[in-house]
Amino acid sequence: MKTGAAAKASGTGPARAPRTRKTAAATGASGANRAAPKRRATATPKVKVRPAPPLDAADRERLLAGAHHDPHAMLGAHLTDEGVVFRALRPHATSVTVVVGGLEAELISEGDGLFAAAAALREIPEYQLRVRYGTDEPLLVDDPYRMLPALGGFDLHLISEGRHEELWRALGAHPMTHQGVTGTRFTVWAPNARGVRVTGDFTFWDGTAYPMRSLGSSGVWELFLPGIGEGAVYKFDVCAADGTHTMRADPMARRTECPPNTASVVHSSRYEWNDADWLARRGSRPIHEAPFSVYEVHLGSWRPGLSYRELAEQLPAYVRDLGFTHVELLPVAEHPFGGSWGYQITGYYAPTARLGGPDDFKYLVDRLHQEGIGVLVDWVPAHFPKDDWALARFDGTPLYEHPDPRRAEHPDWGTLEFDYGRNEVRNFLVANAIYWCEEFHIDGLRVDAVASMLYLDYSREDGEWSPNEFGGRDNPDAVAFLQEMNATVYRRCPGVVTIAEESTAWDGVTRPTDVPGQWGIGGLGFGLKWNMGWMHDSLVYMSKDPVHRRYHHNEMTFSMVYAYSENYVLPISHDEVVHGKGALVSKMPGDWWQQRANHRAYLGFMWSHPGKQLLFMGQEFAQGAEWSEAHGPDWWLLDPCYSAEPDHRGVRDLVRDLNTAYARTPALWERDCDPSGFAWITADAADDNVLAFLRYSADSTPLLVVSNFSPVVRHDYRLGVPDGPTAWRPVLNTDDKQYG
């Protein structure tokens, strides 16, 4: 996870400003520019009407205040003993007329934008409303309050149970045809709200006209708006229990405005995939028995200024040329503060609009797949920012966050932690994991900050945390959530891998959820785990002058003590090249020649050590400066006009050759998680700064790895090798002249 200045609680720009009104502050349900074309009304015979019975004063007040749970009970058409009562809420309208076939009935103004009348009809007809604003031509629109709910009871049941695995199909904004009318269904979960209204550019950000109805104990609010279609910009006006209102972005929005704007956008995907071959073969070999080398990328700064589609023309070719099997993308979900690098998310279901739309992101994933490259994304279910237009206290109460402040407040990042014990919150996150894998064909989720989820006392002092019901420091709700998420993803998405960034010795991170461990509970169910211990120890060793490395030799061998306790990834990630830590080559001692030699030797050791590999962008060509999201990698180092270009290009050539040799050498990946795939040759040559070991393929073909971390050239250095092979041939030497 991020620490320091780049991960402070997100500060955002102001919410989207209301548009300038012309002749009215709110249009009809048909919306503004994004609504369907309107038909002009023509003169038709009048129906005699009389005043409608007045609304109950309390109901009227609640309706106009946006605090009523059932606006459909008052608005629309209702059959009574004396005929049909029509009532519409059209703020700023000068007249509203009901149009039924060849007849029309003008409603009587009741004040405050309410229009109503009773007509002598025996049944409720199909009708439309003709609404006039000022002197403008009237608009003929469908009445949203004559519509039945557009969300089924089974969906509501699954939501309440926390078992709706396709939650994004039930909640949010969905363009559709309902009761023969084209429009958009808006649904949102806000169980403690007094009322919820839809507002957007189609109402000039006046939410008065469109109160939503509560769908019972599910806590879901729903409204179908005729005429509203793809591209409409919207928010929810939520009335809390104390009567205060906040404007909220849709938690389930599949598209958002580009920051600093914060509204949600109605979206319907039309993308047609071309990666069927990739999907068919991606699960043919278990990931822990397959080659897996990862290039970690921050999309916004890899080549600053490129969109998703422009990246799709450059990134796949670059990664394929270097031989990486996968890319891992820093979080791509929408986030308001760019300095968080995507780790403080406000739009869990929307790729960031900074680089394009959702279908543009799909195109990037598709192109990577067509080049034979898997796509992993960082996923952040550990915490979310406190922005008052997003998830925090969404309905006026702690909803997505835990109600106990000692469990809700994240001390390191100024954010809020999810309440994993609440069915709907757990469902929101589990469905989100599935959503990225199924809707965007993502091949793996690297789950961020798992340790902060597992421990109630994470980064907290005594008195700052509350124990679980058994008096312990672990979080059973988080454990259950991670188990459910992993089990569900692996069941629904064949070939997908989940990866934990977990920095402690928690038992069974990559053990199946149905296999109990030493404490009698199942594993968390991840496919792989970042080996933070290897990363830390090996970098400490490499940072020492060679003459002092003899005293730290155990830091290079200790990883093999626990190498098979989990299925590991060896990460040199963005976290290791920011906040004053220096780039990878800058961590090395000595002059420029020695730094590069150490850098190359370290990469050779990393690629040959048991475990999968992950390298952050810029480190593949020995960038000397820390990474900055403002300008990205220093590509100018590879400009042939630069005098030291051969040095940097040589390191990149080494990475390419390491990946090539890696892919062709099953000994380096077939037994990554099997102790029989490794044997020490020389583990105790501390004074020589030498390590030597064997890797074995599934058919027991050996590969000898020798790492000399001393600047001393050692001739005729004696090493033991197994009986059997009569000759050994070199596969790769990191000090070859071609590498600089």
Side-chain angles (χ1 to χ4, degrees):
M1 276 305 304
K2 312 287 90 55
T3 58
K8 294 178 182 175
S10 58
T12 68
R16 182 184 178 95
R19 296 188 176 183
T20 303
R21 293 180 175 85
K22 294 182 180 178
T23 59
T27 71
S30 299
N33 346 353
R34 294 182 173 84
K38 311 301 179 302
R39 289 169 286 167
R40 303 297 185 187
T42 58
T44 52
K46 300 286 187 180
V47 174
K48 184 178 291 187
V49 297
R50 59 185 181 278
L55 291 175
D56 176 80
D59 281 338
R60 177 189 172 103
E61 181 181 0
R62 290 168 56 204
L63 175 67
L64 295 175
H68 203 290
H69 69 287
D70 189 13
H72 289 69
M74 293 165 286
L75 302 177
H78 298 274
L79 186 63
T80 70
D81 292 339
E82 299 178 358
V84 176
V85 173
F86 297 92
R87 181 172 278 108
L89 177 58
R90 293 284 161 168
H92 308 286
T94 54
S95 68
V96 178
T97 302
V98 173
V99 178
V100 181
L103 302 174
E104 64 178 31
E106 185 169 352
L107 304 187
I108 303 168
S109 174
E110 297 182 324
D112 299 316
L114 285 169
F115 296 81
L121 300 173
R122 295 183 178 180
E123 59 183 18
I124 297 174
E126 290 192 6
Y127 67 93
Q128 292 179 294
L129 300 177
R130 193 178 73 188
V131 185
R132 182 188 293 274
Y133 294 94
T135 59
D136 286 356
E137 287 292 319
L139 302 173
L140 192 63
V141 299
D142 288 287
D143 185 2
Y145 296 95
R146 76 171 179 85
M147 302 291 179
L148 296 171
L151 188 66
F154 187 57
D155 286 308
L156 297 175
H157 170 74
L158 292 176
I159 291 170
S160 297
E161 293 291 314
R163 290 290 182 268
H164 204 308
E165 294 179 359
E166 297 181 356
L167 188 65
W168 66 93
R169 302 188 190 280
L171 298 182
H174 290 267
M176 61 173 59
T177 298
H178 178 51
Q179 294 181 220
V181 177
T182 300
T184 295
R185 182 193 70 198
F186 293 90
T187 46
V188 64
W189 178 63
N192 301 306
R194 289 177 59 185
V196 182
R197 299 184 290 196
V198 181
T199 183
D201 60 353
F202 44 88
T203 67
F204 295 97
W205 296 100
D206 181 342
T208 310
Y210 294 136
M212 305 174 75
R213 63 177 147 208
S214 170
L215 298 181
S217 61
S218 66
V220 174
W221 299 76
E222 181 266 354
L223 183 65
F224 177 81
L225 288 185
I228 303 302
E230 185 173 1
V233 181
Y234 70 99
K235 280 189 175 182
F236 295 114
D237 177 346
V238 180
C239 180
D242 62 0
T244 59
H245 286 256
T246 56
M247 295 275 278
R248 299 285 178 158
D250 185 356
M252 301 294 299
R254 290 170 292 162
R255 186 171 184 175
T256 68
E257 287 189 302
C258 186
N261 292 329
T262 59
S264 306
V265 181
V266 177
H267 173 70
S268 182
S269 178
R270 293 179 174 82
Y271 190 77
E272 296 183 6
W273 290 90
N274 297 286
D275 62 349
D277 291 343
W278 167 267
L279 295 179
R281 68 175 185 271
R282 74 176 177 184
S284 59
R285 181 192 292 268
I287 202 71
H288 59 281
E289 297 176 356
F292 190 87
S293 62
V294 182
Y295 184 59
E296 189 185 28
V297 178
H298 178 256
L299 285 178
S301 67
W302 185 72
R303 293 282 173 85
L306 297 188
S307 67
Y308 289 128
R309 288 187 177 266
E310 291 167 336
L311 284 163
E313 302 309 315
Q314 298 187 34
L315 182 61
Y318 183 80
V319 176
R320 181 194 59 195
D321 176 64
L322 289 184
F324 287 97
T325 66
H326 290 72
V327 293
E328 180 177 315
L329 309 178
L330 270 61
V332 297
E334 192 59 90
H335 52 284
F337 177 46
S340 77
W341 311 330
Y343 288 93
Q344 294 188 5
I345 295 172
T346 50
Y348 273 81
Y349 284 79
T352 179
R354 292 170 174 86
L355 308 180
D359 284 1
D360 299 323
F361 179 63
K362 290 181 179 181
Y363 178 76
L364 171 60
V365 175
D366 203 352
R367 289 290 298 118
L368 285 161
H369 283 171
Q370 291 171 44
E371 294 294 341
I373 300 163
V375 181
L376 317 173
V377 296
D378 280 15
W379 186 55
V380 191
H383 65 133
F384 57 92
K386 297 179 179 179
D387 301 77
D388 60 6
W389 50 268
L391 296 181
R393 296 185 66 86
F394 185 81
D395 62 0
T397 65
L399 188 63
Y400 289 90
E401 66 270 38
H402 201 283
D404 184 346
R406 293 173 296 176
R407 295 195 183 185
E409 295 283 339
H410 202 298
D412 284 349
W413 305 304
T415 51
L416 296 170
E417 298 186 20
F418 285 100
D419 182 2
Y420 304 107
R422 186 161 192 163
N423 285 348
E424 297 91 344
V425 175
R426 188 180 66 249
N427 192 174
F428 173 81
L429 293 171
V430 172
N432 187 243
I434 300 168
Y435 172 76
W436 287 101
C437 297
E438 293 190 353
E439 292 293 314
F440 292 95
H441 292 197
I442 297 302
D443 304 295
L445 300 172
R446 179 267 197 184
V447 182
D448 186 64
V450 171
S452 74
M453 302 164 64
L454 293 174
Y455 297 98
L456 297 170
D457 62 346
Y458 185 87
S459 288
R460 295 177 173 90
E461 302 296 333
D462 290 343
E464 297 178 348
W465 62 282
S466 58
N468 61 32
E469 57 267 40
F470 307 108
R473 58 193 284 259
D474 59 292
N475 188 342
D477 292 335
V479 172
F481 156 66
L482 291 170
Q483 290 176 324
E484 179 182 345
M485 181 277 296
N486 281 312
T488 307
V489 167
Y490 279 109
R491 170 171 53 82
R492 289 189 59 125
C493 310
V496 167
V497 63
T498 59
I499 307 168
E501 186 214 18
E502 204 284 315
S503 55
T504 72
W506 183 277
D507 177 56
V509 172
T510 58
R511 190 172 64 241
T513 58
D514 59 347
V515 177
Q518 58 180 326
W519 307 115
I521 63 173
L524 297 182
F526 286 94
L528 298 168
K529 172 183 173 177
W530 274 23
N531 193 335
M532 310 296 283
W534 173 89
M535 176 274 298
H536 176 270
D537 292 347
S538 63
L539 290 181
V540 167
Y541 177 88
M542 295 303 298
S543 68
K544 305 298 181 183
D545 190 276
V547 72
H548 300 302
R549 285 175 177 167
R550 68 181 67 185
Y551 306 111
H552 298 269
H553 193 74
N554 64 303
E555 290 174 8
M556 292 295 267
T557 60
F558 180 64
S559 60
M560 291 311 303
V561 174
Y562 61 87
Y564 302 105
S565 61
E566 303 280 4
N567 305 330
Y568 282 116
V569 174
L570 311 180
I572 299 299
S573 74
H574 61 281
D575 274 334
E576 312 319 317
V577 296
V578 291
H579 300 323
K581 296 178 183 178
L584 182 57
V585 72
S586 299
K587 301 176 191 293
M588 307 302 173
D591 59 22
W592 176 233
W593 184 93
Q594 291 173 316
Q595 285 182 311
R596 287 183 292 117
N598 276 288
H599 184 96
R600 296 194 306 269
Y602 182 73
L603 292 177
F605 174 74
M606 175 180 173
W607 254 253
S608 57
H609 190 284
K612 311 305 180 182
Q613 291 75 38
L614 179 142
L615 189 67
F616 185 60
M617 63 184 193
Q619 312 316 301
E620 78 274 16
F621 57 84
Q623 172 177 316
E626 284 191 341
W627 168 63
S628 165
E629 79 278 1
H631 65 258
D634 291 333
W635 296 108
W636 58 270
L637 296 172
L638 297 172
D639 188 332
C641 296
Y642 176 53
S643 60
E645 180 268 347
D647 299 343
H648 297 280
R649 189 170 298 277
V651 174
R652 192 171 70 170
D653 289 344
L654 170 66
V655 171
R656 180 189 297 108
D657 290 352
L658 280 170
N659 276 323
T660 300
Y662 174 74
R664 294 174 178 174
T665 311
L668 290 174
W669 40 265
E670 277 188 332
R671 291 186 177 181
D672 263 334
C673 305
D674 182 352
S676 66
F678 177 92
W680 281 112
I681 294 295
T682 300
D684 56 357
D687 291 342
D688 298 338
N689 302 155
V690 170
L691 296 165
F693 52 86
L694 292 166
R695 298 293 306 277
Y696 290 98
S697 64
D699 64 3
S700 297
T701 300
L703 175 75
L704 175 63
V705 180
V706 183
S707 295
N708 177 17
F709 292 111
S710 167
V712 177
V713 178
R714 305 186 187 280
H715 298 284
D716 300 323
Y717 197 81
R718 187 175 181 85
L719 293 168
V721 294
D723 295 333
T726 57
W728 295 78
R729 64 175 181 83
V731 175
L732 187 144
N733 181 355
T734 64
D735 267 348
D736 274 352
K737 185 177 180 180
Q738 61 181 314
Y739 302 135

